[in-house]
Amino acid sequence: MTSTDSDSAAQQKAPAKDPWDLPDVSGLVVGVLGGTGPQGKGLAYRLARAGQKVIVGSRAADRARSAAEEIGLGVEGADNAETARRSDIVIVAVPWEGHGDTLTSLREELAGKLVVDCVNPLGFDKKGAYALKPEEGSAAEQAAALLPDSRVTAAFHHLSAVLLQDPEIEAIDTDVMVLGEARADVETVQALAGRITGMRGVFAGRLRNAHQVESLVANLISVNRRYKAHAGLRVTDV
């Protein structure tokens, strides 16, 4: 048997990686762009409550600092540029209307960073919420196009801001769909989601599949309005 044959046989016998063997992310700094809004503030609170170091960002540093003081738990506030520079992982939770401009202005600060886009492009009319489709295909794909030097993933789309911000709620019973191009990046975001009590991060495909994940929020809004609920998602049999 040649050395090449031996290497091939060894590779074939190697056990498959456990998909739930996720990295330790407890020491990473998480920045939240749009951290003064309901979803951003809620994510910052939950992650800080789990022991993560969190910085909330805003276009105005004073607004970010006020939000950080309100959250407590050691959360800091800074303008978006400083937040991006100081963070290992940057969650994008800005309004869809300002998504493109915000990321374009932070391209340099976000270079080399793991970016987690959780923006849902939605429109609203008398019939309720409906999904918008960006030219790039999704908010996450727009982020990837605007940030060629960043590692863009997508996650945290289907979370209720009301539940996230409620200190009386110990656990949030939901799965987080995580999308991305590199397995290591996806697993890091899965692990981050798992830091929040009750949550689990589940791999849901590459960024080309982000549109339907972002769009599903329109359906959840309809569910919540009909049933007076704060619905989330669970993926069965995994």
Side-chain angles (χ1 to χ4, degrees), residues 25-185:
V25 297
S26 59
L28 299 181
V29 178
V30 179
V32 184
L33 305 182
T36 60
Q39 187 181 27
K41 188 183 294 184
L43 280 168
Y45 168 67
R46 287 289 160 177
L47 289 169
R49 182 168 165 168
Q52 208 76 34
K53 174 59 184 174
V54 178
I55 306 171
V56 294
S58 174
R59 287 177 297 177
D62 56 343
R63 288 185 60 207
R65 285 191 287 267
S66 294
E69 289 176 7
E70 184 179 338
I71 296 168
L73 300 171
V75 174
E76 295 183 45
D79 63 35
N80 283 332
E82 182 181 345
T83 298
R85 281 194 297 267
R86 293 178 56 195
S87 301
D88 301 302
I89 302 175
V90 180
I91 297 174
V92 180
V94 300
W96 166 242
E97 293 75 15
H99 182 263
D101 289 343
T102 298
L103 296 185
T104 298
S105 69
L106 297 171
R107 182 175 294 160
E108 182 177 342
E109 290 82 0
L110 291 171
K113 306 289 184 177
L114 176 53
V115 175
V116 187
D117 201 295
C118 65
V119 175
N120 303 303
L122 298 176
F124 295 87
D125 60 19
K126 292 181 180 179
K127 295 182 180 180
Y130 60 94
L132 304 175
K133 189 160 188 178
E135 181 179 347
E136 298 84 355
S138 64
E141 288 170 294
Q142 182 184 85
L146 294 173
L147 303 172
D149 298 320
S150 303
R151 294 137 49 212
V152 176
T153 61
F156 300 117
H157 301 90
H158 306 135
L159 307 181
S160 163
V162 173
L163 298 185
L164 287 172
Q165 295 184 85
D166 189 342
E168 299 299 316
I169 295 176
E170 293 294 328
I172 299 179
D173 183 27
T174 192
D175 283 334
V176 173
M177 310 287 274
V178 184
L179 304 97
E181 300 302 318
R183 180 165 184 164
D185 294 337

